[in-house]
Amino acid sequence: MTYTLITANRNYSSWSLRPWLLMKALGLDFVDRVEPFAKPVNYDAFRAFSPTGQVPVLIDGDTTIWDSLGIALYLADRHSGVWPADDAARAFAQSAVCEMHGGFSALRNDCTMNVGVRVQPVPMRAALLRDVARLRELFEQGLDRFGGPWLAGGAFSLLDAFFAPVAFRIRTYGLDVGRGQAWVDHVLAHPAMVEWERQALAETWREESHEAELAAAGMITADYRQG
C-alpha cells in the first residue's frame, strides 16, 4: 500500500520537510498531499486529519502517525537506510536527531524558516549564537569522524533529513557554520532539496504570522518567491 504524507507550505514548514525529504531520498512510494497554512490558526481544519492539529502526518492504511520523529521511527521499522548501518555512526545520528527535535529553540524562534528569501539578520542574541556554535561543532564532528559527505558518513540518513531545514536557514540568514558549510552545500544540492525549493518558490500564498516572524528576523535583501 502506498503511504500518504500530509505536509504544509514548502516555504515555511520545516517539520514537513524532514519526512518528505527522507522518503524521497530513500525512494519510498507515497502520495504527497499539501495542506497549506491558509489561516493564522489552522488547528481546527488540521484536526480533520491530525490528532494534534499539526503537520506532518503519515497515513498507512488505517494507521495514522503524527510528528516528524514518530514518522521517521515508523519508517525505520519498515525500511532500511533510515539510520546509518555503522554502530558508531548510528549512535551519533540518533543522538543528534533527538537533539534537533527537542532543541535549538533560539534558532527556531529567531530564524524562522523561509526558503525563498535572503535576510540580513538583526543582531543575534546570545542564545542564538550558542545554537549556531553548536551547529558548527556538530556538523564538523560528523564530517570529521565519519568522513562525509553526509553527517554520518557516505550515505544519506535521517540525520541529514532532520538538519535539512537548518541548511535552508543557514543560507537564508547567512549563518557561519565553519567547515560545516560543506555539508550545507551538499544537502542543498540534493535533487529532492532542489525540488522542494522549486515548489517553495512557486507558492503564491502567504501566511500572515510567518511573514511577521520574517519581518522581525531582519531586513530582506532578496526575495526569489514568484508569487
Side-chain angles (χ1 to χ4, degrees):
M1 180 177 291
T2 302
Y3 297 115
T4 296
L5 181 66
I6 304 176
T7 59
N9 306 58
R10 302 303 194 227
N11 199 47
Y12 305 127
S13 187
S14 59
W15 295 108
S16 295
L17 171 57
R18 293 179 171 105
W20 186 92
L21 177 60
L22 177 68
M23 296 177 78
K24 284 284 188 178
L26 295 181
L28 304 184
D29 188 22
F30 68 99
V31 174
D32 185 10
R33 175 178 155 190
V34 178
E35 296 282 347
F37 298 131
K39 298 180 291 186
V41 179
N42 298 278
Y43 177 81
D44 290 337
F46 283 16
R47 279 276 293 172
F49 53 80
S50 169
T52 62
Q54 297 176 316
V55 291
V57 172
L58 183 71
I59 299 174
D60 183 14
D62 295 331
T63 302
T64 297
I65 307 96
W66 62 94
D67 186 271
S68 58
L69 183 54
I71 293 168
L73 295 177
Y74 184 84
L75 295 173
D77 287 339
R78 290 157 178 80
H79 304 279
S80 61
V82 174
W83 295 115
D86 175 76
D87 286 347
R90 186 165 61 254
F92 177 80
Q94 289 171 342
S95 296
V97 163
C98 290
E99 181 181 0
M100 180 73 256
H101 190 259
F104 295 98
S105 60
L107 179 71
R108 300 182 201 278
N109 292 334
D110 296 3
C111 298
T112 186
M113 173 144 150
N114 196 304
V115 174
V117 301
R118 305 294 181 269
V119 174
Q120 177 63 48
V122 298
M124 290 190 285
R125 298 185 297 130
L128 177 57
L129 290 171
R130 286 194 297 269
D131 277 359
V132 174
R134 175 58 184 150
L135 288 173
R136 176 175 181 166
E137 180 181 56
L138 192 153
F139 291 173
E140 291 182 350
Q141 181 182 0
L143 293 172
D144 289 347
R145 184 176 179 189
F146 304 109
W150 301 109
L151 291 177
F156 182 97
S157 74
L158 179 58
L159 177 56
D160 303 291
F162 253 67
F163 279 88
V166 175
F168 279 132
R169 284 180 162 99
I170 289 168
R171 186 182 67 180
T172 294
Y173 298 96
L175 305 179
D176 181 6
V177 291
R179 290 185 291 106
Q181 186 65 40
W183 172 81
V184 172
D185 295 340
H186 193 64
V187 75
L188 288 174
H190 191 287
M193 287 284 279
V194 173
E195 174 62 16
W196 181 278
E197 181 179 6
R198 185 194 66 77
Q199 293 182 25
L201 297 182
E203 288 178 344
T204 57
W205 57 74
R206 299 289 181 266
E207 199 282 308
E208 182 179 343
S209 65
H210 284 89
E211 292 299 311
E213 290 173 354
L214 179 64
M219 181 180 67
I220 297 175
T221 58
D223 191 338
Y224 301 105
R225 296 175 293 180
Q226 298 169 18

